[in-house]
Amino acid sequence: MRLITRKVEQADWQQVKRLVQEDMLHVGDQVEDFIRSTPMTFEVAEVLNEGVYFVSKQLWPETVQWNKERTNKGGFKDSNVKRFLNEEIYNILPDEMQEVISERQVLQIIDGVEERFPCKLWLPTEYEVFGEEAWVNDDHEGQQFTYFKDPSNRVKCDDETGESEFWWLASVCSGNSTYACYVTNYGSANSGGASYSDRVPICFLIAKESKE
């Protein structure tokens, strides 16, 4: 099955979960749903032994500061954008969607210190988007998602205006305590002050094993 489209108020997420467990999904497959009144298309970014990683094609309409203050101290783990995703956005997802989302062990490396922590909603790292093309963050946080090996998938547009927009990543800028990484409207890697406001995709994992 190469494509799932649900132009209805609610996608059948239990069906999606079954397809994950049966290894029936592939990179580029899509699931359409509404987050409240906002239409979203979730695309398969990677298929691994632990499950299927989804990244929304669209950006969430609201901008968010990576941090309230201009600092990247604590990395994504302690960031405002992580709080925004896992509290404000997660709590408005359809119940059926929440039921199938699994926690992901997110990797961050800051000043050579590696840490993993659980998230329901997360952002990809710079390396997961750009692979060897990454240049803002010096650490290889994870592996490049197959989906992002196509540079066109790094460009994300506003559905209403059609204009491409900047969007945050989980990585911090190496050698700078105030900058975080983002993707430009041209789909390239860059960084800016953590107190700036940019857009975010909605990213999540559906694990292959049954949830407890």
Side-chain angles (χ1 to χ4, degrees):
M1 184 170 186
R2 298 298 301 172
L3 178 68
I4 309 167
T5 55
R6 303 273 170 200
K7 295 183 182 297
V8 295
E9 189 62 29
Q10 199 170 77
D12 185 346
W13 286 103
Q14 287 300 322
Q15 180 195 13
V16 175
K17 176 71 174 181
R18 288 192 294 272
L19 292 171
V20 169
Q21 293 174 327
E22 295 167 3
D23 291 320
M24 295 294 291
L25 294 181
H26 305 82
V27 172
D29 285 350
Q30 300 177 335
V31 182
E32 295 185 359
D33 204 348
F34 286 82
I35 309 304
R36 290 192 171 166
S37 60
T38 302
M40 302 291 290
T41 300
F42 301 100
E43 300 186 295
V44 174
E46 192 61 274
V47 179
L48 297 176
N49 289 336
E50 64 265 29
V52 174
Y53 291 80
F54 290 85
V55 174
S56 64
K57 182 177 181 180
Q58 303 90 346
L59 299 171
W60 185 249
E62 184 180 350
T63 61
V64 59
Q65 293 171 287
W66 204 89
N67 259 340
K68 294 290 187 180
E69 298 179 357
R70 193 173 177 179
T71 177
N72 59 32
K73 184 178 180 180
F76 181 67
K77 180 182 179 182
D78 296 334
S79 68
N80 175 64
V81 71
K82 173 181 173 289
R83 178 205 60 79
F84 175 78
L85 289 167
N86 285 274
E87 296 179 15
E88 297 187 35
I89 299 300
Y90 182 79
N91 288 335
I92 65 171
L93 297 180
D95 291 343
E96 292 78 6
M97 187 175 176
Q98 290 186 24
E99 288 174 2
V100 302
I101 291 177
S102 303
E103 286 188 338
R104 179 194 183 191
Q105 290 296 317
V106 175
L107 167 67
Q108 73 176 25
I109 304 173
I110 301 177
D111 297 328
V113 178
E114 180 177 315
E115 184 174 9
R116 294 181 185 271
F117 51 93
C119 285
K120 291 291 185 70
L121 301 183
W122 38 270
L123 295 175
T125 66
E126 186 193 30
Y127 199 81
E128 286 173 334
V129 174
F130 294 98
E132 294 297 333
E133 300 173 47
W135 63 276
V136 179
N137 182 282
D138 295 335
D139 297 302
H140 290 183
E141 296 172 312
Q143 298 295 322
Q144 187 179 25
F145 287 155
T146 301
Y147 175 75
F148 287 120
K149 291 181 180 180
D150 180 349
S152 67
N153 288 331
R154 304 170 192 168
V155 178
K156 293 189 175 294
C157 297
D158 184 287
D159 271 1
E160 292 187 3
T161 66
E163 298 292 328
S164 56
E165 299 285 350
F166 290 63
W167 54 281
W168 287 122
L169 296 171
S171 302
V172 303
C173 178
S174 295
N176 189 307
S177 63
T178 64
Y179 276 30
C181 299
Y182 62 77
V183 182
T184 73
N185 57 332
Y186 295 106
S188 58
N190 211 325
S191 64
S195 61
Y196 295 169
S197 292
D198 283 326
R199 305 275 287 276
V200 291
I202 297 177
C203 309
F204 57 92
L205 165 69
I206 299 181
K208 289 184 180 178
E209 71 274 8
S210 298
K211 296 181 70 176
E212 296 295 334

